[in-house]
Amino acid sequence: MSDSTIESVLQEQRVFEPPAAFSEKARIPSMEAYQKLYDEAAADPAAFWAKLAEQELDWFEKWDTVLDWQPPVAKWFVGGKSNISYNCLDRHLKTDKKDKTALIWEGEPGDSRSLTYTELHAEVCQMANVLKDMGVRKGDRVGLYMPMVPEAAIAMLACTRIGAAHTVIFGGFSSEALRDRLNDAEAKVVITADGGFRKDKPMGLKPAVDAALADNAVPSVTNVLVVQRTKQAVDWTAGRDVWWHDVKPDASTDCPAEPMDSEALLFILYTSGTTGKPKGVVHTTAGYNLYTHMTFKWTFDIKEDDIYWCTADVGWITGHSYIVYGPLSNGATTVMYEGAPRPSNPGAFWDVIEKYKVSIFYTAPTAIRAFMKMGDKEPNARDLSSLRILGTVGEPINPEAWMWYRKVIGGDNCPIVDTWWQTETGGFMLTPLPGATPTKPGSATKPFPGILADVVDTEGNPVGVNEGGYLVVKHPWPSMMRTVYGDDARFRRTYWEHIPPKDGQYFYFAGDGARKDEDGYFWVMGRTDDVLNVSGHRLGTMEIESALVSHPAVAEAAVVGRKDELKGEDVYAFVTLENRYSASDELKTELKQHVVKEIGAIARPGEIQFTDALPKTRSGKIIRRFLRNLASDEEVVGDATTMEDQSVLEKLRQGS
Ligand code: PRX
């Protein structure tokens, strides 16, 4: 956030009560009701979650122990057996929901499709049977590299149905990034499509899979299941590649869901951290199912006839928890959209809301800001009166964007739920409950019942009212990540050792800075580490630096975030060149392209600045703080006397 944004957040005094007519019908209708739930959960979290697990989910076998907490390793519902695909599908078929629309898909250009729970169940079973035929067994991993089509959700549910863990890799990642993730997970099968539509144009996905698997670079992969979407010509490896439409007609629509241990691996999702390669965040079966179910139910106050739309991609945790699992476990109707906001089609989002009478809309601040910039004309020209709740996620929302969202999209009448959470947390941690919580523009308000969150200093002591500190969680919750796939030590180091445990109290370290105001409202300020948030996409500076350094021209690289009005942050790279190369605009373009090749377009640096030297301490550490200031044209703050060579800063300021 820019300083002016932080300033306006600090001065933000506006409070919006939930509309009375909304609260009257809400599941959690008042702050008293919220507080009662919160207190009940805080007094005995295990009992609280056990009661909900019993009420809200179906089980093949009940658990013996609700919570086994050997810090920092938590096990929930130990001894129980369930299946998330069953909870999302089969159990609804025994009710009136069987003919209810489960999934509405709005594709590009102009395609659409909808599936009832019965239809979705049938396709999931078919794909599960195809995976079984390919030799996929309980405990195996399956990589998904998919466009936003129903088959992405079908594939996820097919995997979890047979007890295989999926690892979804965002379709915008490059073949290099795909290969690394598939190898780390040792995926047996990859599910992909010929391509997908991005901003109206078909783009290839299968070619990236071919490149990732070339020369047996991922030896664990034996088959590739390919969905036809764009009808582009694709290369074919006989024996390995299988068209979904070829095998589907013969696949049975019956495939019983595998009873899974509560702590069985459910999925791996890679995300960026401060150091090293992306980490595989591990989520397990029952706790994740329960927590995404409950947070979806209460935060979106879901009702039988709601039409819910989350604009995220299934490649991110938001797509996992709140396009697929949370909504379907609740038997809701979830909308999936293949498009993206863009200037050439400024009314696209509002068309979808009008067409399907969307009642709950969940998107990211970066999209809200982009639409705000395009003006009120487009949304004003649509009937958005079906909306009753608006949501936001991914980065701090500036009060101006929040107010615009409320007024222009929500007609001043829809509660806004600003949900703070992470890949690692699985579900919402801080969020208003729409019928209960008075909202303040820019605040994610209060913890979800059962979440003991706080803002502390480096020793774990709570900081004072309105003082900045580290956002932590002090008690395990059902959908917390269990480990980094294959690297328990990294899990401990990254999340549990930043703030050392004290008197048996462990602190889950989120990596975000925050403050709590006089009403106990949380204001999340953004990352405190070297993780960037570009348009709500999380990127590690180290990853981008490694990508740059892998180019022969680059001697050294330092990547920082530059404040950006639309994206929140943009990638800004300082690069020193090997002697035999000289700076040029062509080389800048080449280096940007190189990052796209290594990671993907989302990591493309907005700016590259060539420099003879980087500011370093006498011990040789790059002083990133200075670079951040320089990138954002701010005054360099902090003590420059620790610098090895004082003239470096001056040269950088002059642009070299
Ligand atoms: O910095 C926080 C920011 O996004 C980070 C998590 O990124 P990721 O794991 O990719 O998950 C994004 C979707 C859940 C957090 O550490 N963040 C997410 N939501 C918010 C937010 N920052 C402020 N307010 C939010 N509502």
Side-chain angles (χ1 to χ4, degrees):
M1 285 205 285
S2 69
D3 287 344
S4 60
T5 308
I6 290 174
E7 197 48 35
S8 64
V9 163
L10 278 172
Q11 288 168 3
E12 184 56 62
Q13 300 291 337
R14 287 170 287 200
V15 178
F16 295 90
E17 297 288 335
F22 186 103
S23 296
E24 259 167 42
K25 295 192 203 131
R27 288 178 183 275
I28 320 279
S30 65
M31 256 336 233
E32 292 70 47
Y34 160 79
Q35 200 60 47
K36 195 161 162 272
L37 280 172
Y38 182 88
D39 292 344
E40 180 195 335
D44 189 347
F48 176 77
W49 292 116
K51 190 169 90 186
L52 293 172
E54 181 108 49
Q55 272 171 22
E56 300 284 333
L57 300 184
D58 280 20
W59 295 83
F60 297 120
E61 271 173 48
K62 208 184 151 182
W63 59 90
D64 318 309
T65 311
V66 184
L67 170 64
D68 173 7
W69 176 223
Q70 316 275 342
V73 179
K75 293 186 179 145
W76 285 90
F77 308 110
V78 184
K81 284 190 193 294
S82 64
N83 184 294
I84 198 167
S85 186
Y86 183 94
N87 275 315
C88 287
L89 300 167
D90 307 48
R91 63 171 169 159
H92 303 317
L93 304 191
K94 299 178 210 152
T95 71
D96 288 348
K97 288 187 196 282
K98 67 180 192 306
D99 297 321
K100 179 175 175 174
T101 303
L103 193 114
I104 295 173
W105 174 69
E106 180 71 14
E108 298 244 35
D111 298 345
S112 63
R113 198 181 159 199
S114 86
L115 290 105
T116 64
Y117 273 94
T118 302
E119 289 162 345
L120 183 61
H121 172 264
E123 290 217 18
V124 167
C125 287
Q126 286 179 303
M127 199 178 282
N129 282 323
V130 167
L131 291 174
K132 276 189 185 168
D133 286 347
M134 289 176 166
V136 177
R137 298 285 171 264
K138 201 167 166 169
D140 286 343
R141 275 84 51 215
V142 175
L144 269 60
Y145 189 63
M146 294 291 280
M148 283 290 285
V149 293
E151 286 78 5
I154 290 167
M156 291 164 77
L157 292 158
C159 289
T160 50
R161 185 166 197 85
I162 59 173
H166 51 72
T167 180
V168 185
I169 297 136
F170 172 58
F173 278 122
S174 69
S175 58
E176 268 83 353
L178 174 62
R179 185 192 54 214
D180 291 349
R181 286 158 175 78
L182 292 174
N183 262 327
D184 190 76
E186 293 177 288
K188 191 159 192 174
V189 165
V190 179
I191 307 176
T192 189
D194 47 0
F197 287 92
R198 217 152 253 271
K199 304 196 174 164
D200 267 345
K201 284 200 254 6
M203 51 117 201
L205 285 167
K206 174 77 166 45
V209 175
D210 291 337
L213 302 184
D215 305 321
N216 201 24
V218 189
S220 57
V221 171
T222 51
N223 282 109
V224 179
L225 182 62
V226 190
V227 173
Q228 191 171 51
R229 167 73 187 113
T230 56
K231 305 212 164 115
Q232 290 160 293
V234 289
D235 290 339
W236 209 248
T237 303
R240 185 196 73 182
D241 300 346
V242 177
W243 282 114
W244 167 231
H245 60 257
D246 279 348
V247 286
K248 189 178 165 203
D250 293 332
S252 163
T253 55
D254 179 33
C255 175
E258 193 71 36
M260 299 300 292
D261 287 339
S262 294
E263 283 300 328
L265 175 63
L266 182 68
F267 65 81
I268 306 167
L269 187 58
Y270 288 86
T271 191
S272 297
T274 312
T275 54
K277 53 180 187 143
K279 16 178 210 243
V281 170
V282 166
H283 283 289
T284 57
T285 301
Y288 174 86
N289 190 356
L290 178 65
Y291 195 76
T292 51
H293 179 97
M294 287 320 303
T295 45
F296 180 81
K297 182 168 184 164
W298 286 349
T299 307
F300 291 125
D301 186 52
I302 195 76
K303 301 276 165 57
E304 195 51 42
D305 46 9
D306 272 316
I307 306 288
Y308 163 83
W309 178 26
C310 163
T311 66
D313 190 285
V314 288
W316 310 114
I317 191 69
T318 310
H320 284 57
S321 301
Y322 301 110
I323 293 179
V324 180
Y325 292 119
L328 297 178
S329 181
N330 278 280
T333 300
T334 182
V335 177
M336 205 174 174
Y337 179 56
E338 194 183 22
R342 58 177 181 281
S344 64
N345 194 357
F349 269 26
W350 322 127
D351 283 341
V352 175
I353 294 178
E354 187 177 61
K355 178 170 174 188
Y356 295 110
K357 301 201 168 22
V358 170
S359 55
I360 306 170
F361 177 60
Y362 187 38
T363 194
T366 188
I368 298 168
R369 286 194 296 265
F371 284 118
M372 193 166 113
K373 210 173 159 200
M374 293 179 209
D376 302 359
K377 199 172 122 252
E378 298 290 343
N380 284 348
R382 310 295 195 289
D383 178 6
L384 305 180
S385 60
S386 55
L387 288 170
R388 62 181 201 96
I389 301 177
L390 302 175
T392 163
V393 59
E395 58 180 307
I397 181 162
N398 44 317
E400 300 87 313
W402 195 100
M403 289 304 298
W404 183 85
Y405 197 28
R406 179 183 157 86
K407 185 163 167 278
V408 180
I409 307 306
D412 266 333
N413 199 35
C414 300
I416 295 183
V417 291
D418 176 355
T419 60
W420 174 85
W421 60 297
Q422 310 177 294
T423 306
E424 293 87 338
T425 70
F428 306 151
M429 303 298 279
L430 303 174
T431 179
L433 298 180
T437 319
T439 49
K440 304 185 187 187
S443 170
T445 74
K446 301 238 174 192
F448 195 79
I451 300 304
L452 305 184
D454 208 348
V455 181
V456 301
D457 64 17
T458 44
E459 264 120 56
N461 305 307
V463 298
V465 169
N466 282 325
E467 267 176 43
Y470 298 104
L471 186 47
V472 294
V473 187
K474 302 208 290 206
H475 192 277
W477 65 101
S479 68
M480 64 197 279
M481 77 181 285
R482 299 302 197 259
T483 189
V484 172
Y485 191 66
D487 198 346
D488 292 341
R490 189 169 177 196
F491 171 63
R492 288 168 188 269
R493 204 169 57 236
T494 312
Y495 301 103
W496 301 96
E497 288 172 7
H498 269 276
I499 297 173
K502 198 169 65 169
D503 308 326
Q505 171 67 60
Y506 276 70
F507 300 91
Y508 167 79
F509 178 80
D512 280 317
R515 69 182 171 93
K516 256 198 298 183
D517 70 13
E518 49 288 339
D519 298 324
Y521 275 47
F522 287 74
W523 298 78
V524 180
M525 297 311 209
R527 303 290 306 194
T528 59
D529 52 9
D530 292 323
V531 170
L532 305 185
N533 194 328
V534 180
S535 301
H537 295 150
R538 186 166 153 182
L539 296 166
T541 52
M542 274 274 292
E543 268 172 274
I544 307 173
E545 287 166 12
S546 311
L548 283 165
V549 172
S550 72
H551 188 283
V554 177
E556 210 173 15
V559 167
V560 295
R562 173 172 63 174
K563 281 155 195 160
D564 184 281
E565 212 186 299
L566 279 183
K567 300 177 177 177
E569 254 181 330
D570 199 6
V571 178
Y572 195 105
F574 293 89
V575 165
T576 63
L577 293 175
E578 294 286 357
N579 280 340
R580 56 206 158 87
Y581 289 86
S582 43
S584 68
D585 282 347
E586 291 72 47
L587 186 56
K588 263 191 201 176
T589 311
E590 188 178 322
L591 293 180
K592 287 183 188 176
Q593 213 32 50
H594 184 69
V595 174
V596 174
K597 178 176 158 287
E598 292 290 311
I599 304 176
I602 53 168
R604 183 201 307 271
E607 185 57 58
I608 291 182
Q609 182 175 342
F610 293 120
T611 171
D612 292 339
L614 292 167
K616 290 188 182 164
T617 61
R618 294 199 175 88
S619 59
K621 253 187 94 186
I622 295 173
I623 313 176
R624 285 163 185 286
R625 196 164 24 93
F626 291 168
L627 294 175
R628 273 196 291 272
N629 293 149
L630 284 166
S632 294
D633 285 330
E634 294 164 348
E635 204 183 316
V636 173
V637 290
D639 181 10
T641 56
T642 51
M643 262 179 72
E644 186 192 34
D645 177 359
Q646 308 267 340
S647 68
V648 171
L649 263 189
E650 202 33 54
K651 281 199 201 143
L652 275 166
R653 237 186 240 121
Q654 285 159 11
S656 65

